[in-house]
Amino acid sequence: MTQPISGLDGHTQNVTPALSGTVVFALGLFVVAVALRLTQLDGAIYYDEYYHLLAATSRSQDGSLDIYQGAYTRAPLYTIFTSWVFDLTGGPDVAMARLPNVLFGALLAVGVSIWTRCIAGPLAGWIVALCVIFWPNGIYLSQLVRFYALHGLIFFVGAIAAYDLFRPDATTARRLLMLLLSGTMMFLALQFQDSTLVGAMAIALWAALTVLLPLLLRQSRGLIFGVLAALLVLAVAGFATGMVQDSWAAYRSSPWDRDPTGYHRALRDLYPVLWPLTPVIAVFAIHDRLRPAGFCAFIAAFGLLAHSFAGVQNIRHIYYLSPFLFALWAMGLQAVLPPILRRIRNAIAGIVGNGRARALTGFVLIGVLLFAMFAQSAVMQTFKDVIGGALHREPQAQFDEVFAVLDDYDGEDRVIVVTNDMETIYHRGRFDLTYSRNWLPEMGEVEFATDPRNGRPLISTEESLGMVVQAYPSGLFLAPRSWWSDWFGYNDVIPFLAAFNQPNVEWSIEKLERMVLLRWTTDPVMQDPQLADVREKIAAE
């Protein structure tokens, strides 16, 4: 006889059917998730991947995290992990370095689907499974040598442990275990991404409003006033010490223009049916599954708002939040779909009669569901990416086109300026100066400041570039052809070319298959002695 067991949210289930069904569901989803994440392992290297590839190579060779004359110290645990992969596989192979993230991404897809299935029901689990299968951003980030997939998995484990920590019927031992697990996972996630703090704040807010506040309201007024006074003291102390101001400045810091509507537009374009209806879906979800839906709503809403008004917006930054948005959608749709489907059946019966309604209803429902699913751009985008779309990028640069030219510009009186520092180091090993807006906050956007990631100076203005042109008798500006279209899509070409179009400068542009070379020579007699300071800043260490 099958024995009943208590589910994650107190629901009674039968052991054998529930367990066997969940195992089959999980294994099938895992196979599909892995398969979808194997399409780009041999694709061109994305810029951010170079950081870990180069630093991990140094780690394997000499134990450092060095890149050229600098070092990459962000998320060192992930770089160390990548170096272990290199050591195990016999060398710095890009495909092998990407492979662990395929596993991390697939585990997150399975984890959120199983969790939703257990707390909300099988239909919700299947809806989440569809969301994580047709998740272009999730598939893409699971195929990069970058920490997003691992961070998302660790944060998810920490978040559901925090959810279980406040379960009403949890024993003291279980609470202590969940507290330890949640704290450990959140601390570990913080080693990869500062955005972990946003997710942790969302969970803390959910716990404060749904668990602690009701408890507090049942206490004496004195205790309530004491808690409020303590919060006020903490706030005053934060402002007095400058901690609040520093945190706000770091939160809003960005070398690029802010785009508060960026995530709204991205989700609107990927999910044109679901995203506009999210508030309505959330209401039905919370009404049907108050505790889990409220938890997911807090994380998704607070997280999206916080990231929208931060200094930098990029779809990859909300990777770790997306599973909770999917779970919220799933719980809401699970609540509204059955009555909607019943109304459709009744309407068809009223049109064609009860005798033929059953057979016709099945075809209509399948058509409606398929139409709704394929109306989501995320579905078609996933198909495009998997069969050879955006994920199969060509390399931005082709350095074998320019190796001989670069060798001609080695020397004390010559300078090489590049737009893609990491790719140049990876393929060639050296350069002199970066022209980019890829500032780190600690560099303070100071022209000619040393970039700690590679140890070379960085400039971003046409004025600084013009000074470099005047400071060296001969120089080369090297950029992929794609850079020219991207850069001048947002910047004026005339001030840029004015840096070279000076009275004592001769310059020319040569377009290769994937690279553009801009060479110049300057009349040494007319050089300004004050430009020696520029040369000193650029001089190799």
Side-chain angles (χ1 to χ4, degrees):
M1 178 178 177
T2 301
Q3 297 296 318
I5 61 171
S6 178
L8 290 180
D9 243 19
H11 303 292
T12 299
Q13 301 173 345
N14 288 328
V15 175
T16 304
L19 184 59
S20 60
T22 300
V23 169
V24 172
F25 174 79
L27 289 176
L29 178 57
F30 181 76
V31 170
V32 173
V34 168
L36 291 174
R37 286 161 171 79
L38 292 175
T39 60
Q40 196 208 327
L41 292 185
D42 60 347
I45 302 172
Y46 173 65
Y47 177 84
D48 285 358
E49 292 183 282
Y50 287 113
Y51 290 123
H52 297 296
L53 292 171
L54 290 166
T57 300
S58 295
R59 172 78 183 183
S60 294
Q61 292 173 348
D62 58 26
S64 72
L65 298 177
D66 291 351
I67 298 179
Y68 194 20
Q69 296 174 355
Y72 188 66
T73 56
R74 184 183 178 190
L77 291 180
Y78 185 79
T79 302
I80 293 170
F81 172 78
T82 303
S83 73
W84 291 345
V85 174
F86 288 168
D87 294 340
L88 289 172
T89 57
D93 184 88
V94 177
M96 289 296 101
R98 287 170 170 166
L99 194 56
N101 279 330
V102 172
L103 178 62
F104 300 145
L107 287 175
L108 177 60
V110 173
V112 66
S113 300
I114 294 299
W115 181 70
T116 307
R117 179 186 175 96
C118 291
I119 62 171
L123 178 57
W126 277 107
I127 295 172
V128 168
L130 289 174
C131 289
V132 294
I133 287 174
F134 300 110
W135 183 16
N137 188 44
I139 294 172
Y140 172 65
L141 292 177
S142 296
Q143 297 177 87
L144 294 182
V145 186
R146 205 66 173 146
F147 42 73
Y148 296 106
L150 179 57
H151 172 259
L153 177 61
I154 293 171
F155 178 84
F156 175 73
V157 173
I160 62 173
Y163 175 83
D164 205 54
L165 168 65
F166 294 103
R167 206 174 102 179
D169 60 344
T171 63
T172 301
R174 187 184 185 94
R175 290 189 196 280
L176 289 174
L177 178 61
M178 291 300 105
L179 178 63
L180 178 63
L181 178 60
S182 178
T184 302
M185 291 296 104
M186 289 299 173
F187 175 78
L188 187 57
L190 190 58
Q191 308 311 303
F192 298 99
Q193 279 281 74
D194 290 341
S195 59
T196 302
L197 295 172
V198 173
M201 288 173 64
I203 294 171
L205 184 61
W206 167 79
L209 294 179
T210 64
V211 179
L212 301 180
L213 183 61
L215 290 175
L216 191 61
L217 292 176
R218 292 198 290 268
Q219 307 302 316
S220 65
R221 289 185 179 180
L223 180 60
I224 295 174
F225 284 129
V227 171
L228 292 176
L231 293 175
L232 180 60
V233 169
L234 288 175
V236 171
F239 277 101
T241 59
M243 185 181 298
V244 172
Q245 296 91 322
D246 292 344
S247 299
W248 179 257
Y251 167 68
R252 295 284 288 168
S253 174
S254 173
W256 303 286
D257 293 334
R258 301 182 185 94
D259 185 8
T261 65
Y263 295 120
H264 162 70
R265 293 199 316 275
L267 291 170
R268 176 202 63 195
D269 294 343
L270 285 171
Y271 306 98
V273 176
L274 291 173
W275 176 245
L277 294 174
T278 297
V280 176
I281 293 173
V283 170
F284 284 107
I286 293 171
H287 176 266
D288 189 60
R289 300 279 174 175
L290 175 61
R291 190 166 176 272
F295 179 74
C296 293
F298 263 100
I299 294 178
F302 182 89
L304 286 171
L305 284 172
H307 282 287
S308 293
F309 292 98
V312 178
Q313 287 76 39
N314 191 300
I315 192 69
R316 63 193 178 194
H317 295 162
I318 61 170
Y319 172 86
Y320 76 107
L321 298 173
S322 299
F324 299 96
L325 178 62
F326 297 157
L328 180 66
W329 284 344
M331 285 181 266
L333 291 175
Q334 179 178 254
V336 300
L337 281 180
I340 290 176
L341 296 181
R342 283 195 295 271
R343 293 294 298 269
I344 292 174
R345 267 195 298 266
N346 293 338
I348 292 174
I351 295 171
V352 301
N354 290 324
R356 286 176 287 182
R358 177 170 296 184
L360 187 58
T361 298
F363 286 107
V364 171
L365 292 181
I366 291 173
V368 168
L369 292 176
L370 287 176
F371 180 83
M373 188 174 77
F374 282 95
Q376 306 301 309
S377 301
V379 174
M380 297 310 299
Q381 186 63 51
T382 299
F383 281 122
K384 278 195 214 172
D385 291 345
V386 169
I387 65 176
L391 293 178
H392 293 271
R393 301 176 304 270
E394 292 186 351
Q396 282 196 351
Q398 192 70 39
F399 275 82
D400 56 8
E401 294 182 324
V402 295
F403 275 134
V405 176
L406 290 170
D407 290 341
D408 291 340
Y409 285 87
D410 284 335
E412 207 173 290
D413 291 329
R414 302 185 176 192
V415 65
I416 298 174
V417 184
V418 302
T419 60
N420 193 322
D421 51 351
M422 291 297 145
E423 192 166 14
T424 305
I425 294 170
Y426 186 83
H427 290 284
R428 205 237 172 187
R430 66 169 298 274
F431 68 98
D432 298 306
L433 178 69
T434 307
Y435 182 72
S436 172
R437 289 185 181 156
N438 189 21
W439 298 99
L440 287 179
E442 58 265 32
M443 296 170 67
E445 297 191 30
V446 176
E447 296 293 298
F448 296 99
T450 299
D451 187 337
R453 294 164 292 192
N454 56 48
R456 302 306 303 146
L458 183 148
I459 60 173
S460 65
T461 67
E462 294 83 3
E463 293 78 11
S464 296
L465 184 58
M467 294 172 66
V468 173
V469 170
Q470 287 286 345
Y472 284 86
S474 178
L476 173 69
F477 185 93
L478 177 66
R481 294 189 70 149
S482 58
W483 177 88
W484 292 84
S485 58
D486 292 343
W487 179 267
F488 295 118
Y490 299 95
N491 301 277
D492 192 352
V493 67
I494 295 176
F496 173 82
L497 293 179
F500 301 91
N501 194 25
Q502 301 184 58
N504 61 321
V505 177
E506 294 185 5
W507 59 280
S508 63
I509 295 179
E510 180 181 357
K511 295 181 180 179
L512 305 177
E513 183 181 353
R514 288 186 185 155
M515 304 288 280
V516 176
L517 310 179
L518 197 157
R519 313 180 200 220
W520 79 85
T521 57
T522 305
D523 184 356
V525 178
M526 299 183 65
Q527 285 188 34
D528 186 343
Q530 295 182 353
L531 295 174
D533 183 52
V534 172
R535 295 185 61 156
E536 185 178 341
K537 291 176 181 177
I538 299 175
E541 297 178 2

